[in-house]
């Protein structure tokens, strides 16, 4: 016999679908099937059942091989490393729950660490733009129930947020959107002919790195002012047409992704995108939303917001919070040799940071907390596997629109596995002992 | 638990009618007790000092999504504000939107021990509770917003009070909320389309209901349930010249309705930050104070309580569920604007704002707030707030006390205005020579607010049996003093007790306390129709499943449930 757990939250991307159904064995030990999830989400659940999963902490030996150690030894190493370091980097935090983030923040405060999350190489620029100009936004349900103009800018939800369009943005029939897909105009701005672009009513195939110009041109077009014949590779007629489409809608929403946040212009692009949204509010109702990647990167920004006042790149090394992106961001710190220990949890800088940064991690005392083997585990000194949040332990996560949803535990972790929160609590206790607090 | 005897202080306690007599206050097992019940107390000599119950704030925005938006999008609000951790004190920072840790500590330092979060979007209830969990010392509750909720609009359109009440009871339970909050009824739903409801008869687009029906219906539903607090309202048309008529229209909707509550309150409507709702004139050029007209009404109707929403002339961060107002504000001052519309429920906006003494309108606003308090005939129904952080910061409460207690302090402020004469012409304040005393201050910040909240069985006084929330201030009301002494003493109490635990000792934080979260569990008759409507709306219109909506108990590690039985 098996049992089915319903209303399961998917701990993969910022779409944070909460309608999965998971079939588990009667004793709750084995996860057998996943329904309703996209391919990536289903794989995340099924992958937790891998027979070759690492279940005990390991320490790198002189010859490069791994030696299994106990959790106690891993806790001791981590606590010592963090307290002895002058300025440790505690990076990641996006694939864990808010409860663990809060404990981690307390450790960071105690040891004077730099706290940074994956926004640093993703939507950090959006956060900077929000500090410049604000952000008129909404929840995804408002999009479902009201939006009739959907613009995807520099993002490809068909692959990165596979159920976004069916759950929230393009296909659902909401209260004021009874015609579903047929009642919406979909515009995609992307230099590549992506799968998302292939579905669009209008695909603006912009020149790479010219987003700022095109956004600015839209603002000109809203006001009916003159444009050059071609902007960013798009003929002006097309721009006027898109501007008119947006203005004529009842509720427009712009979703934007890494195509604009990390290409030429960075936060200035987002400034302009938000300004486009502000301007649109003169004519109709408009909102804008970053397509956040990890399922709880939003949450870590929120937790640090209420504890420290900043959403990412928080330097606690002087005993109080400092925030200066470019100075207190992970890659800048690593490449300038400003951190002397690295702690990674719930993220994979080994795969996503520039190689020069990854080398620096390799040359320092380092701990990685991750259920998987990743490029990061390959360069770290200690690897601590933990239970999967959202699969083997619950806890709060924040969707891309900041809506908090509590993830569910559906299956037992392997015998004797710790959770992020348990591990961090033990480390915090040990740190306090070492510091004699 | 330790026993304490606070000896010989000048006690101001409206609950027992003590007006500054030297009385001993005894604390045992977290409660106030008779002095005879103590065996070997620690004695605190309060000779020559002022002793009051812990302050109770009826309305402040201190936790939740819009507060955190304010924190995260204003790095400039952090400049020069950080304090490193120190012993048991954790790191604190921020000015107009402080971190949760600082919020707890700063309130405690002022002798405030209970603070209500004034607007909680139900969909974000979990976030609000997470922040309250990380706010030390204070007892807190949060008011879910109902005034633009689709269920409420649909039930009240047909005047289905019982259904609205059943829905309210359900929502309070799943969000662990405390009271019925209404913000710009109907107007915030209209904001979903970029529109607004400008007066109580301006219909809500697509929902075929007027703000007046929403307000009256929610008062009736609130009394049907007999909740501890009354309906808590922020009326339509906030912040616009000439809006006082809308405010009076909203007040009138409570006429003839009597409270039905076992919790000892006398009001059926609490109107918040009334300063923003008391403007005459028809433009910023001729805007004037209508505080007198507003207070004439409030003074003659004892089923209303209000708080003033005093402008404190600071740079601050405005945040409200009144979405259209915040858009209006950003058009006015061109500062950054955050907005978040919440499906089926509400919206919110956040905009920084500078209340400058060099701007005429800010001076007029400052005067209106004080007029409201000084024209109050019954200080048990008019409370001191700043609508933190909208009109000003909660750390300015002592400054407001100073202004209310001293004509000299008010004159000093008048003299500091660039447009002093224009401000005096547009307001009545210069002609008011009333000076409040500490007894009235205790009514406006403790006894009155506790009673209005339906919590007078716990807070607001020093009678035996109440919670041992006590503040000792280094202030001698019988000696001569200058106005600034008031602010200095009340900003940083010498000793503060929360539920019998000493949280401030010799002006320093001594304990992170044992904070509680208050929420209301109202039992109603089975209502299959409402439960069916809930299921259907979640299935069709929400993007979160019904089974993932409820806030689990572990988000309230120390919850205090107030049970209400509305079954018949």
């Amino acid at each position: 016999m098996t049992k089915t757990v319903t209303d399961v939250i998917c701990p993969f991307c910022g779409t944070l679908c909460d309608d999965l159904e998971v079939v588990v064995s009667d004793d709750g030990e084995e996860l057998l099937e996943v329904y309703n999830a996209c391919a990536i989400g289903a794989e995340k659940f099924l992958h937790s059942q891998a027979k070759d999963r690492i279940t005990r902490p390991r320490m790198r030996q002189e010859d490069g091989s791994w030696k299994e150690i106990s959790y106690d030894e891993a806790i001791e190493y981590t606590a010592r490393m963090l307290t002895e370091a002058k300025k440790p980097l505690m990076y990641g935090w996006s694939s864990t729950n808010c409860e663990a983030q809060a404990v981690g923040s307390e450790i960071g405060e105690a040891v004077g660490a730099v706290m940074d999350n994956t926004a640093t190489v993703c939507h950090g620029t959006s956060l900077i733009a929000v500090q410049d100009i604000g952000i008129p936004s909404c929840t995804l349900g408002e999009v479902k129930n009201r939006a009739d103009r959907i613009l995807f800018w520099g993002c490809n939800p068909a692959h990165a947020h596979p159920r976004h369009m069916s759950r929230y943005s393009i296909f659902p029939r909401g209260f004021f959107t009874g015609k579903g897909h047929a009642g919406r105009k979909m515009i995609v701005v992307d230099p590549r002919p992506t799968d998302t672009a292939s579905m669009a009513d209008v695909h603006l195939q912009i020149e790479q790195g010219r987003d700022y110009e095109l956004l600015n041109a839209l603002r000109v077009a809203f006001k009916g002012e003159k444009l050059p014949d071609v902007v960013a590779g798009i003929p002006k007629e097309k721009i006027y047409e898109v501007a008119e489409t947006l203005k004529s809608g009842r509720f427009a929403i712009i979703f934007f992704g890494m195509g604009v946040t990390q290409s030429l212009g960075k936060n200035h692009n987002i400034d302009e995108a938000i300004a486009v949204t502000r301007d649109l509010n003169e004519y109709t109702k408009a909102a804008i939303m970053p397509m956040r990647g990890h399922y709880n990167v939003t949450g870590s920004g929120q937790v640090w917001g209420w504890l420290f006042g900043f959403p990412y790149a928080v330097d606690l090394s002087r005993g109080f919070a400092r925030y200066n992106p470019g100075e207190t961001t992970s890659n800048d710190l690593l490449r300038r040799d400003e951190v002397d220990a690295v702690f990674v949890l719930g993220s994979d800088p080994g795969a996503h940071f520039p190689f020069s940064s990854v080398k620096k991690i390799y040359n320092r005392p380092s701990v990685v907390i991750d259920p998987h083997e990743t490029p990061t585990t390959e360069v770290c000194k200690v690897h601590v596997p933990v239970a999967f949040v959202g699969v083997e332990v619950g806890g709060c996560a924040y969707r891309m629109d900041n809506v908090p949803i509590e993830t569910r535990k559906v299956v037992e972790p392997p015998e004797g596995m710790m959770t992020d929160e348990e591990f961090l609590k033990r480390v915090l206790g040990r740190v306090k002992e070492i510091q004699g607090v | 638990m330790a026993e304490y005897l606070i000896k010989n202080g000048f006690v101001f306690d409206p609950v027992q009618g003590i007006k500054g007599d030297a009385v001993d206050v005894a604390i045992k097992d977290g409660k106030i007790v008779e002095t005879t019940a103590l065996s070997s107390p620690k004695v605190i000599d309060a000779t020559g000092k002022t002793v009051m119950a812990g302050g109770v704030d009826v309305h402040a925005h201190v936790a939740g999504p819009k507060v955190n938006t304010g924190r995260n999008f204003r790095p400039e609000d952090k400049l020069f504000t950080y304090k490193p951790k120190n012993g048991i004190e954790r790191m604190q920072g921020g000015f107009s939107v402080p971190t949760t840790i600082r919020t707890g500590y700063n309130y405690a330092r002022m002798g405030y021990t209970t603070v209500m979060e004034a607007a909680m979007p139900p969909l974000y209830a979990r976030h609000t509770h997470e922040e309250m969990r990380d706010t030390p010392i204070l007892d807190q509750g949060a008011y879910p917003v109902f005034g633009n909720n689709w269920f409420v609009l649909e039930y009240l359109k047909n005047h289905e009070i019982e259904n609205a009440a059943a829905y309210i009871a359900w929502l309070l339970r799943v969000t662990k909320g405390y009271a019925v909050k209404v913000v710009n009824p109907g107007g915030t739903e209209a904001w979903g389309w970029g529109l607004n409801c400008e007066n109580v008869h301006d219909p809500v687009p697509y929902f075929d209901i007027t703000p007046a029906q929403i307000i009256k219906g929610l008062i009736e539903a609130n009394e049907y349930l007999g909740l501890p607090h009354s309906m808590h309202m922020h009326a339509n048309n906030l912040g616009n010249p000439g809006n006082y008529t809308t405010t009076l229209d909203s007040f009138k909707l409570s006429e003839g309705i009597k409270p039905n509550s076992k919790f000892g309150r006398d009001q059926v409507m609490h109107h918040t930050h009334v300063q923003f709702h008391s403007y005459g004139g028809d433009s910023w050029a001729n805007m004037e104070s209508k505080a007198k007209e507003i207070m004439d009404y409030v003074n003659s109707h004892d089923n209303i309580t209000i708080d003033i929403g005093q402008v404190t002339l600071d740079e601050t961060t405005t945040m409200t569920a009144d979405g259209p107002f915040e858009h209006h504000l950003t058009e006015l001052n061109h500062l950054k604007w955050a907005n978040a519309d919440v499906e089926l429920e509400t919206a919110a906006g956040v905009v920084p704002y500078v209340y400058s003494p060099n701007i005429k309108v800010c001076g007029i606003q400052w005067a209106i707030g004080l007029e409201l308090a000084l024209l109050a005939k019954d200080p048990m129904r008019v409370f001191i707030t700043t609508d933190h952080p909208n009109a000003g910061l909660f750390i300015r409460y002592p400054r407001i006390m100073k202004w209310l207690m001293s004509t000299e302090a008010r004159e000093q402020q008048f003299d500091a205005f660039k447009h002093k004469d224009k401000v005096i012409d547009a307001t009545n304040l210069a002609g008011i020579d009333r000076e409040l005393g500490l007894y009235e201050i205790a009514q406006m910040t403790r006894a009155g607010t506790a009673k209005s909240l339906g919590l007078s069985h716990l807070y607001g006084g020093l009678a035996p049996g109440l919670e041992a929330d006590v503040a000792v201030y280094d202030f001698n009301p019988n000696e001569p003093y200058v106005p600034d002494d008031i602010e200095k003493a009340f900003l940083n109490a010498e000793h503060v007790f929360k539920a019998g635990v000493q949280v401030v000792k010799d002006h320093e934080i001594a304990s992170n306390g044992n904070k509680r979260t208050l929420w209301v569990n109202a039992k109603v008759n089975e209502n299959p129709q409402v439960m069916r409507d809930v299921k259907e709306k979640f299935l069709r219109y929400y993007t979160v499943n019904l089974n993932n909506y409820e806030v689990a108990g572990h988000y309230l590690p120390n919850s205090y449930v107030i049970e209400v039985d509305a079954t018949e």
Side-chain angles (χ1 to χ4, degrees):
Chain A
M1 273 304 286
T2 58
K3 55 182 183 189
T4 303
V5 189
T6 58
D7 305 296
V8 175
I9 292 85
C10 174
F12 182 70
C13 80
T15 312
L16 209 64
C17 305
D18 73 333
D19 61 344
L20 275 55
E21 296 190 356
V22 178
V23 181
V24 293
S25 63
D26 223 7
D27 56 6
E29 298 283 340
E30 246 186 306
L31 190 152
L32 306 166
E33 294 280 357
V34 183
Y35 296 108
N36 299 348
C38 68
I40 316 171
E43 186 52 31
K44 176 140 189 185
F45 279 91
L46 296 169
H47 183 73
S48 70
Q49 302 302 297
K51 293 288 174 266
D52 59 350
R53 190 170 150 188
I54 312 277
T55 57
R56 287 292 173 271
R58 337 178 265 173
M59 189 180 273
R60 182 80 61 187
Q61 300 303 299
E62 290 291 322
D63 63 358
S65 64
W66 287 110
K67 169 172 166 261
E68 189 172 301
I69 57 173
S70 69
Y71 270 112
D72 289 344
E73 287 169 302
I75 288 159
E76 183 64 24
Y77 179 92
T78 310
R80 287 252 165 234
M81 176 187 93
L82 291 171
T83 43
E84 284 164 13
K86 271 192 164 147
K87 190 169 179 176
L89 170 65
M90 295 179 81
Y91 172 80
W93 307 106
S94 302
S95 291
T96 186
N97 54 27
C98 295
E99 289 79 355
Q101 288 160 357
V103 181
S105 305
E106 205 170 339
I107 297 173
E109 199 177 313
V111 300
V114 181
M115 311 292 290
D116 200 5
N117 63 24
T118 53
T120 203
V121 288
C122 182
H123 272 286
T125 49
S126 315
L127 299 167
I128 297 171
V130 170
Q131 288 161 351
D132 288 338
I133 183 172
I135 181 164
S137 192
C138 62
T139 65
L140 289 162
E142 286 288 282
V143 178
K144 169 179 163 175
N145 288 314
R146 295 185 206 262
D148 56 354
R149 299 288 183 268
I150 318 281
L151 175 58
F152 289 112
W153 198 303
C155 56
N156 185 9
H159 290 263
H161 299 86
R163 297 184 69 216
H164 189 280
M165 290 188 282
S166 57
R167 274 177 65 81
Y168 310 124
S169 51
I170 302 295
F171 298 106
R173 296 167 191 269
F175 191 78
F176 297 105
T177 50
K179 290 186 181 154
H181 182 213
R184 293 188 174 100
K185 284 263 188 294
M186 174 176 172
I187 303 162
V188 173
V189 183
D190 202 313
R192 303 164 303 163
T194 60
D195 284 343
T196 306
S198 70
M199 299 166 52
D201 297 298
V202 180
H203 173 208
L204 300 179
Q205 203 163 353
I206 184 178
E207 280 174 16
Q208 170 89 37
R210 299 275 175 203
D211 303 88
Y212 190 95
E213 288 91 323
L214 186 57
L215 285 160
N216 197 270
L218 273 177
R219 295 180 69 191
V220 172
F222 289 154
K223 294 189 164 60
E225 300 289 342
K226 279 219 289 279
L227 282 173
D229 289 342
V230 178
V231 178
I234 312 288
K236 67 176 179 188
E237 296 72 26
K238 204 81 190 148
I239 299 173
Y240 284 123
E241 186 193 323
V242 166
E244 197 42 50
T245 304
L246 289 170
K247 274 165 72 172
S248 64
R250 292 197 304 172
F251 189 111
I253 173 94
I254 301 173
F255 291 106
F256 64 97
M258 299 264 301
V260 244
T261 63
Q262 295 295 340
S263 59
L264 191 69
K266 296 212 168 182
N267 55 305
H268 302 285
N269 297 339
I270 314 306
D271 271 2
E272 203 58 18
I274 294 170
V276 165
T277 318
R278 272 188 75 125
D279 288 1
L280 259 183
N281 269 293
E282 303 295 319
Y283 309 102
T284 178
K285 176 79 183 183
I288 180 165
M289 195 185 298
M291 297 282 267
R292 304 303 296 269
H294 292 65
Y295 72 93
N296 200 22
V297 60
T298 314
S300 73
Q302 293 286 354
V303 171
W304 293 342
W306 77 67
L307 289 175
F308 305 130
F310 303 113
Y312 83 119
V314 190
D315 179 353
L316 305 171
S317 62
R318 298 189 193 178
F320 55 89
R322 289 172 65 249
Y323 162 84
N324 190 8
E327 184 199 352
T328 61
T329 29
S330 303
N331 282 296
D332 305 276
L333 290 162
L334 284 166
R335 294 178 52 170
R336 287 197 306 259
D337 285 323
E338 284 185 30
V339 287
D340 50 355
V342 180
F343 172 97
V344 179
L345 184 148
S347 163
D348 188 8
H352 300 276
F353 277 12
F355 197 65
S356 50
S357 296
V358 181
K359 272 188 193 164
K360 303 282 188 188
I361 299 176
Y362 179 75
N363 292 327
R364 281 167 182 56
S366 52
V367 176
V368 55
I369 318 295
D370 200 312
H372 309 88
E373 288 185 88
T374 64
T376 310
T377 61
E378 289 311 299
V379 296
C380 283
K381 306 287 176 293
V382 169
H383 172 206
V384 184
V386 280
F388 281 95
V389 170
V391 183
E392 294 158 344
V393 58
C396 193
Y398 284 62
R399 203 164 65 182
M400 61 171 66
D401 54 359
N402 297 321
V403 170
I405 305 177
E406 191 179 3
T407 63
R408 285 169 190 269
K409 173 179 177 169
V410 291
V411 64
E412 291 297 332
E415 191 72 29
M417 282 279 263
M418 278 186 137
T419 66
D420 288 321
E421 192 185 0
E422 287 166 348
F423 181 81
L424 290 167
K425 274 190 168 149
R426 291 277 308 276
V427 170
L428 177 63
R430 190 67 193 108
V431 163
K432 282 182 172 165
E433 277 174 16
I434 294 169
Q435 294 179 330
V437 179
Chain B
M1 280 179 85
E3 298 181 352
Y4 295 94
L5 183 63
I6 300 165
K7 273 189 84 72
N8 209 24
F10 298 115
V11 173
F12 293 88
D13 179 15
V15 171
Q16 300 180 93
I18 304 173
K19 300 188 176 181
D21 305 334
V23 178
D24 294 355
V25 178
I27 296 175
K28 182 183 177 178
D29 297 336
K31 301 268 188 230
I32 309 272
V33 294
E34 300 286 357
T35 47
T36 51
L38 299 181
S39 46
S40 55
K42 285 186 195 162
V43 177
I44 288 173
D45 182 13
T47 306
K49 302 183 198 299
T50 296
V51 179
M52 287 188 189
V56 180
D57 197 345
V58 71
H59 188 107
H61 299 276
V62 288
K66 63 185 175 309
V67 181
N68 223 27
T69 298
R71 289 186 191 105
N72 271 338
F73 95 147
R74 291 205 68 195
E76 69 278 12
D77 194 56
K78 318 290 185 303
L79 268 178
F80 316 121
T81 63
Y82 271 90
K83 198 175 159 190
K85 68 179 183 347
N86 174 17
I88 61 136
E89 266 189 76
R90 285 192 60 184
M91 185 189 299
Q92 308 155 56
F95 176 66
S96 70
V97 207
T99 59
T100 54
I101 309 275
R102 168 160 285 174
T103 299
Y105 289 163
N106 277 357
Y107 265 113
R109 285 174 195 281
M110 298 194 313
Y112 269 74
T113 49
T114 307
V115 176
M116 290 294 170
E117 160 55 46
M120 168 165 78
L123 192 61
Y124 289 93
R126 204 171 279 109
H127 177 171
T128 312
H129 282 292
E130 283 188 293
E131 284 197 29
M132 292 200 291
R133 180 196 64 204
D134 287 350
T135 307
I137 299 172
L138 309 174
D139 282 359
Q140 289 182 288
Y143 311 152
V145 285
F146 285 94
N148 296 280
N149 179 302
W150 289 6
F151 292 90
V152 169
L153 299 182
E154 284 174 10
Y155 291 139
L156 294 181
K157 176 169 72 181
N158 307 321
H159 203 71
E160 297 167 14
I161 299 301
E162 199 177 334
N163 288 343
Y167 173 74
I168 289 168
W170 176 79
L171 196 77
L172 287 174
R173 189 170 58 252
V174 298
T175 62
K176 306 290 183 284
Y178 186 78
V180 175
K181 174 76 188 294
V182 184
V183 178
N184 189 1
T188 297
E189 163 52 36
W191 177 241
W193 302 115
L195 308 168
N196 197 0
C197 294
E198 285 167 7
N199 60 58
V200 296
H201 302 300
D202 194 354
V204 185
Y206 300 107
F207 280 94
D208 195 24
I209 184 173
T210 62
Q213 287 170 287
I214 300 171
I215 295 167
K216 201 169 164 71
L218 281 171
I219 295 176
E220 287 170 6
N222 196 89
E223 298 315 314
Y224 174 95
L225 290 167
L227 298 177
H229 189 34
S230 63
M231 189 272 266
H232 190 109
M233 188 175 64
H234 151 156
N236 306 83
N237 209 5
L238 173 139
N240 291 319
N243 66 3
Y244 82 103
T245 52
T246 308
T247 313
L248 290 173
D249 288 344
S250 308
F251 282 163
K252 285 173 187 152
L253 295 165
S254 69
E255 278 176 15
I257 307 178
K258 295 252 180 317
N260 162 40
S261 164
K262 298 185 184 70
F263 293 88
R265 62 174 159 89
D266 294 329
Q267 89 281 8
V268 296
M269 177 195 288
H270 175 85
H271 196 308
T272 186
H273 44 69
V274 174
Q275 173 272 128
F276 284 120
H277 302 266
S278 309
Y279 302 163
D282 55 17
S283 74
W284 295 119
N286 65 6
M287 169 209 175
E288 57 179 1
S289 164
K290 289 289 178 186
K292 221 168 131 323
E293 287 75 357
I294 294 286
M295 285 316 291
D296 282 348
Y297 189 94
V298 173
N299 285 333
S300 57
H301 293 79
D302 58 12
N303 65 348
I304 292 183
T305 57
I306 65 165
D307 65 75
I308 61 176
Q310 174 63 31
V311 165
T312 62
L313 305 165
D314 285 290
E315 176 181 326
T316 187
T317 314
T318 68
M319 50 184 66
T320 169
D322 195 336
F325 171 77
E326 289 289 7
H327 182 246
H328 171 72
L329 197 64
T330 189
E331 303 269 277
L332 205 69
N333 71 1
H334 302 293
L335 294 177
K336 53 192 169 188
W337 168 54
N339 175 76
D341 293 2
V342 183
E343 58 209 64
L344 288 79
E345 291 173 355
T346 180
V350 189
V351 178
Y353 197 81
V354 183
Y355 290 97
S356 161
N358 298 336
I359 295 173
K360 179 194 77 169
V361 169
C362 299
I364 296 173
Q365 290 176 311
W366 168 83
I368 291 173
L370 296 177
E371 285 173 19
L372 293 168
L374 293 167
L375 294 169
K377 285 212 168 73
D378 181 2
M380 285 294 282
R381 295 197 290 113
V382 178
F383 312 132
I384 294 175
T385 61
T386 57
D387 187 20
H388 168 85
N390 282 303
L393 287 63
F394 70 79
I395 52 171
R396 300 293 186 226
Y397 289 177
R399 190 168 292 179
I400 299 170
M401 292 174 196
K402 172 181 83 177
W403 285 326
L404 292 174
M405 290 169 71
S406 157
T407 47
E408 186 192 340
R410 299 201 286 269
E411 277 159 19
Q412 284 171 358
Q413 187 57 58
F414 269 125
D415 291 338
F417 286 137
K418 188 173 174 183
H419 304 285
K420 177 183 172 182
D421 297 344
K422 286 182 181 169
V423 171
I424 288 177
D425 286 346
T427 59
N428 321 301
L429 186 61
I432 300 176
D433 55 7
R434 183 181 182 188
E435 292 186 331
L436 299 184
L438 285 174
Y439 187 78
E440 284 144 330
I441 295 291
Q443 289 176 304
M444 289 181 167
T445 56
R446 288 149 166 86
T449 45
K451 181 179 175 183
S452 169
L453 286 165
L455 293 171
S456 47
H457 59 294
L458 294 173
Y459 311 127
L462 296 169
L466 293 177
E467 292 288 298
D469 299 354
V470 189
V472 180
Y473 300 100
D474 199 355
F475 183 78
N476 186 333
N478 302 333
E479 299 275 328
Y481 55 84
V482 294
D484 285 348
D485 293 348
I486 301 171
E487 185 174 356
K488 189 164 162 280
F490 284 86
L491 190 60
N492 196 345
E494 189 169 357
H495 302 290
V496 178
F497 295 86
K498 173 67 201 168
V501 176
Q502 184 155 15
V503 291
V504 174
K505 187 175 180 182
D506 301 326
H507 306 288
E508 290 300 330
I509 299 290
S511 158
N512 285 312
N514 192 13
K515 78 117 12 78
R516 288 177 299 190
T517 306
L518 300 113
W519 64 281
V520 171
N521 185 16
K523 273 227 308 279
V524 288
N525 298 327
E526 286 278 306
N527 192 322
Q529 186 195 332
V530 170
M531 289 332 291
R532 198 202 61 207
D533 292 346
V534 166
K535 276 200 187 69
E536 189 202 31
K537 276 212 169 40
F538 269 87
L539 196 62
R540 294 179 59 178
Y541 306 129
Y542 268 100
T543 54
V544 174
N545 279 7
L546 177 55
N547 291 335
N548 293 324
Y549 189 71
E550 181 165 2
V551 177
H554 61 83
Y555 287 100
L556 295 71
N558 196 1
S559 83
Y560 186 95
V561 192
I562 295 174
E563 302 282 353
V564 177
D565 190 351
T567 53
E568 300 187 1

